[in-house]
Amino acid sequence: MEILVRMFHLYNDVPLLLFIDEYDIQKTEPGQRGFSVTGNRRQNFAEFNINSFGYNSYREFTPSADKIEVALIGDSYIEGFNQHYYDSTGKKIEVILNNEVEVYEYGRGGYDMADQLHIINSYKEQFELIDYIFIYMKFKNDLRRTKIKPDHDLVNLKHTFKFQIKRYIRVLKYANAIGLFDGFRDIRSRLTQGNHNYKAPEVDKKKLELKYMENFKSLVKTYGFDKEKTIFLFDKRKTNKLFLDHCDEMGYKYLDFGESFEKATRPTDLIYDRHWNNLGRTLVATVIANYVKEQEALKGK
Amino acid sequence: MVFNSLDFFIFLPIVFVFYWFVFKKSAKSQNVLILIASYFFYGCWDWRFLSLIFLSTLVDFFVGQRIYSNEKKSTRKLWLWVSVIFNVGLLGFFKYYNFFVDSWIDMVSVLGYDIKSTWTLRIILPVGISFYTFQTMSYSFDIYYKRLQPTKDFLSFATFVSFFPQLVAGPIERASNLLSQILNKRSFSYEQSVSGLKLILWGLFKKVVIADALAPMVDDIFANYSTYPASTLILGVTLFSFQVYGDFSGYSDIAIGTAKLFGIELMSNFKFPVFSRNVAEYWQRWHVSLSTWFRHYVYIPLGGSRVSKLKSVRNIIIIFLVSGFWHGANWTFIFWGAFHALAFIPVFLMGRNTIYKNSVVGENSIFPSFIEIGQMLLTFGIVTFSRIFFRSESITDAFGFISNMINNFSFETYYHPMGYRMIDYYLLLVLFVLYEYRMRKDPRAPFKFKSKGVRFVAYTIIILLMMLFYDDGVDRSFIYFQF
């Protein structure tokens, strides 16, 4: 079984070895290559490549004053394990802009606004050379905290026996991914949790939204924010009105890709997970490229 | 607890170990364990309905004794009726009560009277009730027809009724086969156990890879039949044919294989019905334990084929209608039964209903002849068409499905609702049919390869295929549990 699973590469090479850098930023250890696999029968199969900075990209990040650079910062959508690393949103932007810009993708699954602003703040020198910074955000997920907290436990998992088994016995990894062990988990939870009717307490939605807004203000205060070249990238349909109003009021720039998604006649998300498919990434890239083109044209004038 | 659950795969080895290592001393101790395990197995679903099994056991145990001890035919018949009324009464109440009430209200409303129904009850259908009531009744019938002597061993009888491998979906055993084995001490046989494990693996393959993998497509096509062209509807019902076969024969294989692990041989329930050359042969190969039940206890007592042609035709219609109704309290099943009666009668009138009784397709050759291929395709087509009634939610849906097939007679490529490659499934079905054809002479012998190496590769491929087609989002219960 192990041979067959390896032969047909049914297992997923993700998750990878992680590390926490000198600024407490959680990244992926450089130089790792492999394939991200989704579904029992490799319904989604994409190669990834971790560059020397610790992110999935075909590029090394070498900003300079004499080039136009774009930074995309975000979670798994920007990390893009579900697509070939040479066909990422960043690469698509470069192609649309005739390779006249370089796009750096700082994406890692689970990154939120605290991580994103902390990265910009920590690598100040690098980001000062970058011309456009796009922060991909989801209001519901990204504003839950006001400062970063590196997850040492997660990073140290690589030293555990369980991690090694998962990493090297591919048939177990595959079986786990397709849900074969869910039954064991179910039995364990049945044995450990007596009360099956437990319901999470209801949260006041309005209160939560206000808290997220406060968190955002606090994050900006802590890490700073360059309103000139930093632009939020989001789906306006899924973004809270309070936040939109705040952006308008305080002069935060944003780009909405939701409109082009709405107009699309074909699905923009993958079937097997919720990430953008090729069309979705093309639409997002087009929105960003158009913005950059527009800004560069204005600068030219 | 269902066969394709982790719970079962924890339960089974525990019972197996206790059976052969702790309770192996006598038939009595083996039966004590099997009985406890069976009641636990059933109780995991709903312990309240254990009382029904126990009552059914008690009634038929007692009735059996009464029938046997009376020489007078009318008294014997009276006791037989006690068993029939009790068991059919259970079925009638739990399975058919609401159907009769609703049908009555519908009929009255056709006549212009409007009745507001307050009579229907919220009744849960006890799992397997149609199977174990028929099994216990067969015991009383066999004693009545003097084919069997009643047992005085209540423990063994209770074990016979509740034997967990076949309790909830058959095969519907006869006491002459199962009870006689239960009354005697079983000895461990390595060959029998290995053969059982092979059947369990093959049954799981049929359930997980064939039935469960096809389920999302079948569900999609039947739920949205009005939006699909004829080509997709034909595909949907064809896939359902394979789904229901994989599901039910898979269950039967697991049941037979599990019983083998405990030293017990159950009757075969499926003998490759896909390779039937006419509808009569199909019924000798599909759900054999039920069709023989109806033949022995309904068709033959009605006169069978030893009466006039007209009466025989009447008897055929009766058993098919009853058989349809056995499947569920819905007009769709009655239509399904009637359709099969109509398909069977011409075969019967031509005297071709038993010509394939003792042979298989391609009996003396590797490949079937062109005539046999034509016969199989025709039979498969007829049987598959009948499944429109079997699968549809209501009779209106069934006719809507058929009318859409006729009115929208066009071709369109069908895409899997989850976006999976359809070619995987087509290829899988072709390989499945070819492999079943290879083993067509012996339904109990999957993985019959001489070389150990080939067997090992076959097991590995089967397990890999199960992983490739396993879908944790699919409802994994067996279709026949609802009956």
Side-chain angles (χ1 to χ4, degrees):
Chain A
M1 288 301 296
E2 179 71 14
I3 292 167
L4 286 172
V5 166
R6 280 172 184 262
M7 204 163 84
F8 294 110
H9 207 300
L10 297 169
Y11 60 94
N12 195 351
D13 289 321
V14 177
L16 302 163
L17 302 174
L18 306 175
F19 75 105
I20 292 171
D21 74 1
E22 66 270 33
Y23 300 110
D24 274 350
I25 298 167
Q26 196 173 295
K27 293 190 205 168
T28 313
E29 281 185 13
Q32 297 183 84
R33 292 186 71 150
F35 293 88
S36 167
V37 183
T38 322
N40 303 38
R41 301 190 293 283
R42 289 189 6 178
Q43 282 96 337
N44 202 54
F45 189 74
E47 193 171 358
F48 61 82
N49 172 59
I50 308 300
N51 69 9
S52 62
F53 205 65
Y55 293 103
N56 181 30
S57 173
Y58 85 98
R59 273 197 175 284
E60 292 302 330
F61 301 164
T62 53
S64 69
D66 51 356
K67 292 183 287 184
I68 303 171
E69 290 99 358
V70 172
L72 293 183
I73 312 179
D75 60 7
S76 55
Y77 283 71
I78 302 300
E79 186 179 38
F81 277 146
N82 49 291
Q83 81 228 354
H84 191 285
Y85 70 95
Y86 210 78
D87 192 26
S88 64
T89 310
K91 178 67 186 167
K92 283 180 187 292
I93 297 170
E94 291 182 359
V95 171
I96 296 169
L97 295 173
N98 303 317
N99 294 314
E100 287 165 4
V101 300
E102 286 185 5
V103 182
Y104 304 148
E105 292 153 304
Y106 301 81
R108 161 124 195 90
Y111 271 2
D112 63 3
M113 187 67 76
D115 293 302
Q116 291 156 343
L117 294 183
H118 176 68
I119 290 169
I120 299 169
N121 185 259
S122 305
Y123 293 103
K124 222 176 247 168
E125 285 172 18
Q126 196 175 94
F127 278 92
E128 268 169 12
L129 293 167
I130 293 173
D131 303 86
Y132 301 94
I133 303 167
F134 290 92
I135 298 178
Y136 172 58
M137 76 165 292
K138 290 197 258 337
F139 182 82
K140 262 169 95 175
N141 300 338
D142 291 353
L143 295 167
R144 290 181 182 172
R145 54 186 191 164
T146 53
K147 59 179 178 188
I148 63 144
K149 194 182 168 206
D151 191 345
H152 288 279
D153 290 341
L154 184 69
V155 171
N156 289 332
L157 269 182
K158 64 187 172 194
H159 304 300
T160 63
F161 181 62
K162 194 177 163 187
F163 185 87
Q164 298 302 326
I165 287 180
K166 265 186 169 178
R167 193 167 162 81
Y168 296 109
I169 303 180
R170 303 290 160 85
V171 68
L172 289 181
K173 197 172 193 182
Y174 172 61
N176 185 43
I178 63 173
L180 277 186
F181 298 142
D182 289 355
F184 288 107
R185 290 191 192 101
D186 182 45
I187 288 175
R188 194 175 64 183
S189 73
R190 271 190 273 163
L191 292 174
T192 52
Q193 295 168 9
N195 185 7
H196 293 285
N197 299 323
Y198 173 78
K199 263 189 179 175
E202 282 203 11
V203 185
D204 186 337
K205 209 179 152 195
K206 196 85 207 152
K207 256 186 192 171
L208 203 65
E209 288 169 359
L210 288 171
K211 187 175 181 313
Y212 287 172
M213 287 308 302
E214 285 312 309
N215 288 353
F216 175 68
K217 288 171 194 166
S218 167
L219 284 166
V220 169
K221 207 171 167 186
T222 310
Y223 297 110
F225 195 96
D226 184 347
K227 285 183 187 171
E228 274 309 301
K229 61 178 178 185
T230 311
I231 305 108
F232 289 117
L233 176 71
F234 51 62
D235 184 338
K236 207 171 170 179
R237 297 169 300 176
K238 295 175 187 169
T239 308
N240 192 273
K241 195 170 178 309
L242 278 177
F243 186 75
L244 290 173
D245 290 344
H246 183 70
C247 287
D248 291 337
E249 191 187 321
M250 303 299 290
Y252 293 114
K253 295 177 196 169
Y254 60 83
L255 271 184
D256 168 37
F257 60 83
E259 208 182 313
S260 55
F261 271 38
E262 205 166 346
K263 282 180 192 162
T265 50
R266 284 178 291 129
T268 53
D269 292 344
L270 287 165
I271 298 161
Y272 318 104
D273 65 25
R274 62 193 184 285
H275 295 99
W276 301 319
N277 61 15
N278 191 47
L279 176 65
R281 295 198 308 280
T282 305
L283 292 175
V284 173
T286 309
V287 169
I288 296 172
N290 287 344
Y291 176 83
V292 173
K293 222 187 275 176
E294 221 171 77
Q295 295 302 309
E296 287 303 307
L298 281 175
K299 278 183 197 169
K301 280 177 190 172
Chain B
M1 199 186 299
V2 287
F3 287 163
N4 52 337
S5 69
L6 186 67
D7 298 13
F8 182 72
F9 283 94
I10 293 170
F11 164 84
L12 184 61
I14 294 172
V15 181
F16 181 82
V17 168
F18 272 93
Y19 187 78
W20 291 118
F21 291 96
V22 184
F23 288 78
K24 64 175 180 181
K25 279 180 190 164
S26 64
K28 193 180 173 185
S29 57
Q30 286 177 326
N31 291 343
V32 166
L33 178 71
I34 291 288
L35 186 65
I36 294 169
S38 299
Y39 272 58
F40 175 78
F41 176 86
Y42 193 85
C44 283
W45 170 70
D46 194 328
W47 59 269
R48 292 170 302 173
F49 291 115
L50 284 172
S51 57
L52 293 183
I53 298 179
F54 185 73
L55 266 179
S56 188
T57 308
L58 208 62
V59 167
D60 280 281
F61 181 74
F62 183 72
V63 163
Q65 309 268 9
R66 296 282 100 193
I67 294 172
Y68 189 73
S69 62
N70 278 289
E71 279 303 315
K72 212 173 149 194
K73 203 179 175 191
S74 58
T75 317
R76 290 163 63 82
K77 202 174 227 173
L78 190 75
W79 280 110
L80 181 67
W81 274 108
V82 171
S83 165
V84 172
I85 289 169
F86 175 77
N87 286 297
V88 175
L90 276 187
L91 271 177
F93 179 73
F94 285 98
K95 194 166 172 176
Y96 300 109
Y97 174 79
N98 283 344
F99 170 77
F100 284 125
V101 170
D102 287 338
S103 298
W104 167 251
I105 291 165
D106 288 346
M107 199 178 81
V108 168
S109 73
V110 168
L111 299 172
Y113 297 97
D114 192 23
I115 301 177
K116 284 213 168 67
S117 169
T118 51
W119 302 331
T120 49
L121 302 171
R122 290 176 63 192
I123 306 168
I124 307 169
L125 178 66
V127 167
I129 191 166
S130 308
F131 292 90
Y132 67 74
T133 48
F134 268 48
Q135 186 157 312
T136 52
M137 270 195 285
S138 80
Y139 172 77
S140 299
F141 274 120
D142 283 346
I143 295 170
Y144 176 79
Y145 290 119
K146 296 188 175 172
R147 291 182 201 135
L148 190 77
Q149 285 189 5
T151 176
K152 287 177 183 162
D153 181 354
F154 183 74
L155 171 70
S156 297
F157 184 70
T159 310
F160 156 72
V161 176
S162 64
F163 187 48
F164 74 87
Q166 46 85 245
L167 173 61
V168 288
I172 303 166
E173 276 294 339
R174 309 297 184 272
S176 53
N177 178 42
L178 181 56
L179 184 57
S180 58
Q181 293 181 71
I182 285 174
L183 286 167
N184 295 303
K185 182 178 174 264
R186 278 79 67 189
S187 312
F188 180 77
S189 154
Y190 174 77
E191 285 74 26
Q192 193 181 29
S193 295
V194 170
S195 150
L197 287 172
K198 284 181 185 176
L199 269 171
I200 291 173
L201 183 64
W202 184 239
L204 276 175
F205 168 81
K206 287 202 260 187
K207 171 62 180 158
V208 173
V209 181
I210 304 297
D212 288 353
L214 301 180
M217 289 176 277
V218 173
D219 291 348
D220 169 52
I221 294 170
F222 272 86
N224 306 300
Y225 68 85
S226 57
T227 62
Y228 285 123
S231 61
T232 304
L233 300 184
I234 292 167
L235 175 74
V237 71
T238 307
L239 294 181
F240 177 63
S241 246
F242 282 104
Q243 184 200 350
V244 74
Y245 171 63
D247 195 280
F248 195 21
S249 72
Y251 179 91
S252 295
D253 285 349
I254 301 170
I256 295 165
T258 307
K260 275 174 179 281
L261 292 180
F262 296 95
I264 284 173
E265 292 291 333
L266 298 179
M267 69 187 294
S268 291
N269 216 11
F270 288 87
K271 295 175 180 172
F272 310 108
V274 176
F275 308 123
S276 302
R277 287 156 287 185
N278 64 32
V279 175
E281 188 187 8
Y282 172 82
W283 281 105
Q284 285 150 17
R285 296 180 172 279
W286 174 273
H287 202 176
V288 179
S289 66
L290 181 73
S291 48
T292 51
W293 197 99
F294 278 117
R295 193 163 70 231
H296 291 152
Y297 306 121
V298 182
Y299 183 68
I300 292 172
L302 283 171
S305 52
R306 283 165 300 167
V307 287
S308 68
K309 283 269 180 213
L310 195 67
K311 278 190 176 169
S312 293
V313 167
R314 178 205 66 184
N315 296 343
I316 290 167
I317 293 171
I318 289 172
I319 62 158
F320 275 108
L321 288 180
V322 175
S323 168
F325 199 45
W326 175 90
H327 282 83
N330 195 328
W331 284 102
T332 52
F333 294 115
I334 296 170
F335 265 79
W336 173 74
F339 184 89
H340 269 278
L342 289 178
F344 189 95
I345 289 165
V347 180
F348 171 77
L349 292 175
M350 285 189 283
R352 295 177 66 86
N353 52 321
T354 52
I355 56 168
Y356 300 124
K357 205 175 175 184
N358 300 313
S359 71
V360 291
V361 70
E363 178 80 31
N364 301 312
S365 59
I366 298 172
F367 301 106
S369 67
F370 283 115
I371 291 174
E372 283 179 327
I373 292 173
Q375 287 173 323
M376 283 190 295
L377 286 174
L378 180 66
T379 309
F380 183 74
I382 292 168
V383 169
T384 297
F385 184 80
S386 76
R387 295 212 186 282
I388 296 173
F389 294 103
F390 196 91
R391 175 61 180 75
S392 294
E393 295 291 324
S394 66
I395 204 70
T396 317
D397 283 336
F399 282 111
F401 193 100
I402 296 165
S403 112
N404 215 43
M405 263 164 96
I406 298 162
N407 297 331
N408 192 359
F409 197 75
S410 58
F411 177 84
E412 218 173 77
T413 309
Y414 176 71
Y415 296 99
H416 193 288
M418 311 285 288
Y420 300 153
R421 286 181 303 256
M422 287 300 292
I423 187 74
D424 293 359
Y425 298 92
Y426 299 142
L427 204 63
L428 182 76
L429 287 180
V430 170
L431 292 174
F432 174 64
V433 171
L434 289 177
Y435 185 69
E436 287 246 300
Y437 180 77
R438 188 192 169 275
M439 58 183 273
R440 69 196 179 282
K441 287 177 184 166
D442 188 356
R444 290 179 178 232
F447 312 110
K448 203 175 177 183
F449 301 106
K450 279 179 190 159
S451 155
K452 266 188 184 174
V454 175
R455 278 206 303 274
F456 178 76
V457 171
Y459 299 148
T460 313
I461 290 172
I462 288 294
I463 293 170
L464 183 71
L465 280 169
M466 283 202 270
M467 288 170 118
L468 287 172
F469 286 89
Y470 173 79
D471 187 344
D472 59 349
V474 166
D475 173 15
R476 292 197 292 273
S477 57
F478 287 87
I479 294 173
Y480 266 68
F481 276 15
Q482 62 185 300
F483 306 141

